[in-house]
C-alpha cells in the first residue's frame, strides 16, 4: 500500500474515531422502552408473583432496584459524578482494524470498540462505578459480591475504593488459589477477598461441615455474598451481569460507538459481541437494537458464545433461577439450567448458565443471530488479532473475534476492494490475566 | 468539592491534556545537539579508540549505528511508517492526578504521562518499533535480543511481528521459569523465546558444560544474543535501553508532554522519572533539558532509582563495560561496576548496573537530582496512587511516584490552595505482570 492509498483509506474510513468530552453520552439508554413485547418480569419464587420494588431493595440499592423495574423511561441521566469517573477512562477507543483486515485478506471494514484499556481490564467498570455511586449516595458503607474469573471483582474493588465503600468479594475458592494475581489486584484496591465457601456465613459453614475440601462454585459464592449483605448493616449486594440495571449502565459502550460512527458518517452492517451473562453484548448492541426496533435502521446482530456453555444456541427459553444456590429471583431467559456445570473453559466470563432476560427476549423475537465457538478456534482468532493489532484480547472477547473472522472471510479482498460490509465488534477486555490459557494454546494443549 | 469548584479546577488545570494527530511530534529530539560538553564517546576495548560507525554496524542496524554517533542533528525525522505505528497507541495520555493530589493533601498540581496503555505494557514499544522498522528497511530478516523482566522482549516481539521479522529472545533462565506469563505473551506475538544459558550458542554451551544448573543472568543472555546475531545471516542485535539511539526514540514521550503542556499553557516546575538504564527517564526529560540547556526555561529534574542498584547516587562516573559478559563497547557512565549483582528486587527494569552515557553526563554537570528508594516505600506509593487514580503502576514506575509523593508533601493543601508547584512525571508502565510483588507487599513481606 503506497502513501496515497493509505491517506485515501484513512480519510474514507478513519483509523481512530474520536469523541470529545462534549460529545460524550450524558444518559444511558433503556432498550426496554422501545420493545413492544417487553421481557417477562422477574418472579419471586416464594410468592410466584412478579418481584416488587420493595422486595428488590432488600438485596439491591434503591436506585438499582428502580432501574431494574423501569420499562418505560427511554433515557436515564448519568449522574455527574459517574460521568466524571467515566471521563477518566472513557471514551473507550473505537479503532479501524486495518492490519487485521489485511491479515484476513478481506474487503470488509472492521472496527472494534476496546473496553480493556483501564486497570480493571474490561467493560465491567462501567457498571461497577454506577452501582458503587448509588450505594454511597444511599448512605451504605459496604458492598458484597461474588467473583469467578475476577474481572468484576477487580472493577468493583476499584469503584468501592473511589467511592469510599468497604467491599467483601466472595471468590470461588479454586479461583482464589489458581488466580492469585486477580486476588492480589483486588486487595491492592482495598477489597477484602474471601475464599468461598468460607466460615463467615451460615451457607459457607454448612458446606464446609459437609465437605471440608469443597472447591467452591459461583452458586455458593452468590449465596454467601447475598447472606452477608442481608445480615450486615448498611450493606447491599451487587452483581456484574445479567441484570437489567447492569445492561443499562453498559449502554455507554454502544452509545459512544453509535455517536462516533454517526460523527464520521459510517454505517455499520454487522454488529458483533460476545455473550456470557450479556453485559457487554447488551450494552454494546442496545442503542443499535433500538434503531432497529424503531424502524430507523437495519443491522445484522451476532452474539458469540462459548460452545461449552451455549445458552442461546442450546439452552431453553424458560423461567429459571439466576444462581445455582436459588437465592435470587427467577428470570425468563435462555438457560442451560441453574444446576448446569460447564466443562472446564478458560473463558471464565462466559460460563454463566443463563442469559440477560432482555437479550433473551430480543433473541426470541428473532432480532439477533447466535453462534457458539470452540476454545481452540477462539485462541486462533485471538492470536491472529493480537499479531495484527497489537492488543491481547481476553478469551471471552475472542469469541466475538472468531465470529468477525467468519463473517469477514466471506468477502475476500480480491473480489473487489470496497465491496465488503462494515463490521463493528466489542473487544470487551484484555487477556493480561489469561496467560495460562494462552500458554496452553501456544503449546498445542487446547 | 462542589460543582463550581470542580469546573474551575478543570478549566484552569485540565484533567486530560489532548494532542490531535496533527499536533503529534514528527521528529525525535537529539539532546546531545544542545549539550556544550558532549558525553564521552563509546570506546572499543580492543583498540582503546572511540568506536567507529563501521564497527558499530557489525552488531547494530546501520541507521541505529548512525543515530548512536550523531551528536549534531537537533531533530531527526520520524519515518512515516513509524509515525503510523505510533498513532495506534499514541499520544500516550497526559493526565492531571486530581484524586491523587487529594489523597496526598497537597497543593501541588500533579500530572502523569502514562506509557503503559499498550499491550506491551510500557514505553519500550517506542524504540522497539523504530529499531524493527530500520532492520526491515535494511533488508534484515531476523533480530536477536535479551530480556530479563520481559517488558522489552514483549515490545520487540510485537514490533517484529508488525514488521515481518523473526525474533529470538534470550530470556534469563530463572525469569523464563518464574515469569511464564511474560514468556507466553512473547510467543503469542511470534517471538522465539530461548532460556539462557542455552545450547544454541558457544557462550551458552560453555557455561552449561561448566554449570549445568546455571540460572542465567542478563550478562550471559547479552553474550548469547550478540553471538547469535553475528553468526546468523541478515541478523542484527538490538537493545532496549542505555544506548543513545534508544533515548532518541524515547523522546517521543517528552515531546508529546512538552507540546501538550504548551498547548494548555501549563508550565511544569518539577519533572520526575524513574531510572534503570535511562530509557524512559531520558526520553521524557530530554526536550525539557534542552530548554534548560538553551537557557529558555528552568526546571527541577529528579531521577528516582532503586536503592538496590543506585547507579546515580552510589555509582562511580567512569568508563565501564555495558554488559557483564564484556562483549559490548565501553561507555563513560555512572556505574556500580559491570560485575555488580544487585540484591533481589522486583523492579527488574531498574537492576542495570550502569546508566545512559547522556544522562550520566547531564547528572555529572549538575543539571539533575537523583534519589534512591527502598522497595517497601515504592509499593506504598504505588498502592496510594492505584487507589486514587485507578491505574496499577509497574514497580519501576513506582520509584517516580515515591519521588513525587515526597515533593508534593512539602506543599500541604491547608497552607494555600494554589501555592504548590506543577509536577509532571512519567508513569512508564503497568504492574499487571508484577502481581507476585504486589502480593508480597499486600502480605507484609516487603
Amino acid at each position: 500500500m503506497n502513501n496515497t492509498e493509505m491517506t485515501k483509506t484513512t480519510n474514507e474510513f478513519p483509523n481512530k474515531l474520536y469523541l470529545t468530552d462534549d460529545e460524550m453520552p450524558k444518559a444511558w439508554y433503556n432498550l426496554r422502552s422501545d420493545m413492544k413485547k417487553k421481557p417477562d418480569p422477574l418472579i419471586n419464587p416464594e410468592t410466584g408473583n412478579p418481584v416488587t420494588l420493595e422486595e428488590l431493595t432488600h438485596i439491591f440499592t434503591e436506585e438499582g432496584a428502580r432501574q431494574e423495574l423501569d420499562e418505560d423511561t427511554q433515557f436515564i441521566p448519568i449522574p455527574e459524578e459517574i460521568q466524571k469517573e467515566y471521563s477518566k477512562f472513557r471514551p473507550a477507543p473505537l479503532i479501524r482494524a486495518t492490519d487485521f483486515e489485511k491479515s484476513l485478506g478481506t474487503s470488509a471494514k472492521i472496527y472494534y470498540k476496546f473496553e480493556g484499556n483501564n486497570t480493571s481490564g474490561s467493560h465491567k467498570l462501567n457498571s461497577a462505578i454506577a452501582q458503587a455511586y448509588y450505594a454511597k449516595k444511599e448512605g451504605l458503607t459496604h458492598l458484597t459480591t461474588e467473583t469467578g474469573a475476577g474481572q468484576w471483582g477487580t472493577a468493583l474493588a476499584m469503584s468501592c475504593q473511589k467511592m469510599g465503600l468497604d467491599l467483601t468479594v466472595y471468590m470461588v475458592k479454586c479461583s482464589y488459589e489458581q488466580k492469585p494475581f486477580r486476588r492480589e489486584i483486588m486487595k491492592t484496591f482495598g477489597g477484602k477477598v474471601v475464599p468461598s465457601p468460607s466460615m463467615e456465613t451460615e451457607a459457607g459453614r454448612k458446606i464446609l461441615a459437609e465437605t471440608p475440601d469443597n472447591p467452591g462454585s459461583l452458586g455458593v459464592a452468590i449465596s454467601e455474598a447475598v447472606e452477608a449483605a442481608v445480615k450486615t448493616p448498611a450493606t447491599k449486594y451487587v452483581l456484574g451481569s445479567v441484570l437489567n440495571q447492569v445492561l443499562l449502565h453498559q449502554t455507554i459502550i454502544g452509545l459512544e460507538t453509535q455517536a462516533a460512527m454517526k460523527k464520521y458518517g459510517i454505517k455499520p452492517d454487522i454488529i458483533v459481541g460476545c455473550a456470557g451473562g450479556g453485559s457487554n453484548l447488551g450494552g454494546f448492541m442496545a442503542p443499535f437494537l433500538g434503531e432497529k426496533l424503531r424502524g430507523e435502521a437495519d443491522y445484522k446482530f451476532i452474539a458469540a458464545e462459548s460452545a461449552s456453555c451455549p445458552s442461546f444456541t442450546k439452552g431453553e427459553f424458560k423461567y429459571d433461577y439466576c444462581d445455582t444456590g436459588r437465592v435470587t429471583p427467577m428470570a425468563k431467559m435462555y438457560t442451560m439450567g441453574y444446576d448446569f456445570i460447564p466443562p472446564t473453559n478458560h473463558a471464565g466470563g462466559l460460563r454463566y448458565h443463563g442469559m440477560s432476560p432482555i437479550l433473551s427476549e430480543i433473541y426470541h423475537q428473532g432480532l439477533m443471530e447466535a453462534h457458539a465457538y470452540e476454545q481452540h478456534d477462539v485462541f486462533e482468532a485471538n492470536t491472529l488479532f493480537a499479531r495484527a493489532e497489537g492488543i491481547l484480547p481476553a478469551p471471552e472477547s475472542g469469541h466475538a473475534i472468531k465470529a468477525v473472522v467468519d463473517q469477514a472471510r466471506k468477502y475476500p479482498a480480491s473480489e473487489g476492494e470496497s465491496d465488503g460490509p462494515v463490521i463493528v465488534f466489542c473487544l470487551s477486555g484484555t487477556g493480561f490475566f489469561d496467560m495460562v490459557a494462552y500458554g496452553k494454546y501456544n503449546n498445542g494443549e487446547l
Side-chain angles (χ1 to χ4, degrees), chain A:
Chain A
M1 183 184 274
N2 64 36
N3 279 338
T4 321
E5 280 170 341
M6 200 179 83
T7 312
K8 183 166 159 270
T9 309
T10 304
N11 287 345
E12 275 183 11
F13 289 97
N15 271 21
K16 286 184 190 173
L17 280 60
Y18 292 99
L19 283 184
T20 65
D21 282 352
D22 293 345
E23 295 165 337
M24 282 287 291
K26 303 286 188 289
W28 293 302
Y29 168 63
N30 186 358
L31 178 59
R32 284 169 293 170
S33 69
D34 283 319
M35 293 171 74
K36 272 172 207 148
K37 163 77 179 77
K38 314 278 184 198
D40 288 319
L42 292 170
I43 295 286
N44 180 336
E46 285 177 25
T47 65
N49 295 325
V51 290
T52 63
L53 184 66
E54 203 255 328
E55 286 168 347
L56 275 183
T57 53
H58 290 173
I59 304 180
F60 298 134
T61 62
E62 285 166 30
E63 184 60 26
R66 267 193 295 274
Q67 292 177 351
E68 200 59 35
L69 299 180
D70 184 344
E71 295 184 338
D72 305 313
T73 315
Q74 194 179 23
F75 285 97
I76 295 178
I78 306 173
E80 267 192 33
E81 195 165 340
I82 298 177
Q83 286 187 43
K84 190 185 148 208
E85 290 304 320
Y86 278 177
S87 78
K88 291 173 187 169
F89 63 99
R90 309 202 64 86
L94 180 60
I95 299 169
R96 170 93 185 265
T98 41
D99 290 330
F100 188 46
E101 292 168 16
K102 261 181 251 164
S103 76
L104 293 174
T106 179
S107 64
K109 287 95 192 163
I110 303 173
Y111 289 84
Y112 56 95
K113 180 74 169 171
F114 182 40
E115 291 289 321
N117 70 333
N118 66 73
T119 282
S120 83
S122 82
H123 68 289
K124 293 289 184 190
L125 199 51
N126 298 325
S127 185
I129 282 171
Q131 295 195 54
Y133 167 77
Y134 290 125
K136 183 187 99 172
K137 201 180 147 205
E138 293 171 20
L140 306 177
T141 58
H142 183 192
L143 292 177
T144 69
T145 197
E146 77 290 328
T147 203
Q151 289 182 326
W152 167 246
T154 305
L156 194 62
M158 289 172 66
S159 303
C160 285
Q161 181 61 228
K162 182 60 60 181
M163 298 295 168
L165 298 169
D166 292 333
L167 170 68
T168 307
V169 181
Y170 291 87
M171 188 173 188
V172 177
K173 193 185 276 174
C174 59
S175 294
Y176 182 93
E177 284 159 4
Q178 288 164 12
K179 300 201 168 202
F181 293 180
R182 274 289 180 193
R183 179 185 78 210
E184 293 306 330
I185 199 168
M186 287 187 266
K187 284 191 198 169
T188 290
F189 283 97
K192 179 180 166 193
V193 188
V194 178
S196 165
S198 78
M199 292 300 284
E200 298 202 357
T201 65
E202 253 177 53
R205 286 190 292 273
K206 184 158 172 275
I207 288 165
L208 287 173
E210 290 162 6
T211 51
D213 294 333
N214 193 302
S217 72
L218 218 43
V220 174
I222 293 176
S223 305
E224 289 206 281
V226 171
E227 182 190 323
V230 171
K231 289 187 177 172
T232 316
T235 301
K236 291 282 166 71
Y237 166 75
V238 293
L239 187 65
S241 191
V242 185
L243 297 175
N244 299 335
Q245 58 189 289
V246 175
L247 250 72
L248 179 74
H249 306 150
Q250 295 294 356
T251 59
I252 188 72
I253 308 172
L255 290 163
E256 280 181 16
T257 308
Q258 187 188 45
M261 295 198 101
K262 280 198 179 151
K263 176 179 173 178
Y264 287 88
I266 301 163
K267 191 192 165 293
D269 299 298
I270 305 174
I271 300 175
V272 182
C274 67
S279 69
N280 91 82
L281 184 82
F284 178 55
M285 291 187 176
F288 297 101
L289 281 164
E291 290 182 56
K292 185 162 176 166
L293 285 167
R294 296 190 303 271
E296 296 165 6
D298 195 19
Y299 306 108
K300 178 173 181 171
F301 295 95
I302 300 176
E305 62 183 10
S306 167
S308 67
C309 195
S311 323
F312 274 136
T313 53
K314 297 270 177 70
E316 209 179 321
F317 188 46
K318 65 175 184 185
Y319 267 104
D320 194 9
Y321 292 98
C322 295
D323 67 308
T324 321
R326 288 183 285 175
V327 298
T328 60
M330 297 183 82
K332 179 81 171 289
M333 59 184 177
Y334 281 88
T335 175
M336 305 295 292
Y338 70 87
D339 54 356
F340 176 74
I341 310 269
T344 305
N345 187 318
H346 293 286
L350 303 186
R351 303 188 70 204
Y352 184 66
H353 69 275
M355 182 54 65
S356 144
I358 295 176
L359 292 177
S360 293
E361 178 60 36
I362 289 285
Y363 183 66
H364 190 65
Q365 292 180 20
L367 295 165
M368 182 191 286
E369 286 180 19
H371 301 282
Y373 298 105
E374 296 291 346
Q375 196 165 216
H376 176 274
D377 300 337
V378 165
F379 275 86
E380 189 176 60
N382 269 358
T383 302
L384 207 62
F385 181 85
R387 292 182 177 188
E389 294 296 317
I391 292 178
L392 189 80
E396 290 85 350
S397 318
H399 291 72
I401 297 175
K402 170 61 181 157
V404 169
V405 169
D406 287 355
Q407 293 294 319
R409 284 196 167 140
K410 293 181 188 172
Y411 305 89
S414 54
E415 294 181 11
E417 267 296 337
S418 56
D419 287 336
V422 174
I423 303 175
V424 58
F425 74 97
C426 184
L427 186 66
S428 56
T430 76
F432 284 139
F433 289 95
D434 300 285
M435 291 317 298
V436 171
Y438 272 98
K440 285 188 183 167
Y441 175 74
N442 289 341
N443 295 316
E445 293 164 20
L446 280 192

